[in-house]
Amino acid sequence: MMDRGSFEEALARFEAASDLDLNGLEAYGWMAAALSKLGRFDEAHRNADHALWLDQFSAWAWNRKGAVYFDERDYKMALQCFRRAVELEPEFAPAAENIRRTEPLAGVNASLVERAPGGE
């Protein structure tokens, strides 16, 4: 669903999954991703923060939080989250890739950068 751009449908399924397991870190992370793609950044951050509350040492959750910031075009905060993910799990390739593509943007005024697709 997410890969097809069906973000509303994906969100509904992830919400149902979180209802079944309130401690389901991945459901909250995926809800954050769907909400971010829908431009609902406050809700996306709340869900990413909930995932981190469940496990503050999850590289995946830190990467997801960074992806929300990336979609929001807050590249400095995105970079901090991606770096935290790699700190926690040095071999976590998605975060390393996100660092590589975010570093050039972190020092640029976001209003000058055309909106790029978010990281995973």
Side-chain angles (χ1 to χ4, degrees):
M1 289 167 287
M2 291 286 289
D3 56 346
R4 293 189 322 258
S6 302
F7 304 124
E8 290 285 354
E9 182 183 352
L11 178 59
R13 290 189 186 206
F14 298 136
E15 285 173 336
S18 72
D19 288 344
L20 293 173
D21 181 5
L22 296 176
N23 294 317
L25 169 95
E26 288 191 21
Y28 289 99
W30 283 110
M31 282 192 297
L35 288 161
S36 184
K37 297 303 182 192
L38 292 167
R40 294 164 54 183
F41 298 116
D42 288 341
E43 293 170 87
H45 281 293
R46 278 195 298 277
N47 279 277
D49 289 341
H50 189 82
L52 286 166
W53 178 76
L54 290 168
D55 183 359
Q56 65 180 330
F57 301 106
S58 168
W60 184 84
W62 279 105
N63 190 61
R64 181 65 64 202
K65 178 77 173 171
V68 173
Y69 279 119
F70 189 93
D71 285 349
E72 207 172 20
R73 295 191 292 175
D74 185 340
Y75 303 118
K76 287 181 183 178
M77 287 301 295
L79 192 56
Q80 286 180 18
C81 293
F82 297 144
R83 286 180 175 156
R84 179 68 176 135
V86 168
E87 224 175 78
L88 291 167
E89 193 176 323
E91 301 301 317
F92 190 55
E97 174 59 24
N98 286 334
I99 289 170
R100 186 195 62 74
R101 68 190 186 101
T102 305
E103 278 180 329
L105 302 172
V108 176
N109 183 335
S111 64
L112 300 176
V113 180
E114 198 172 315
R115 186 175 178 115
E120 289 301 333

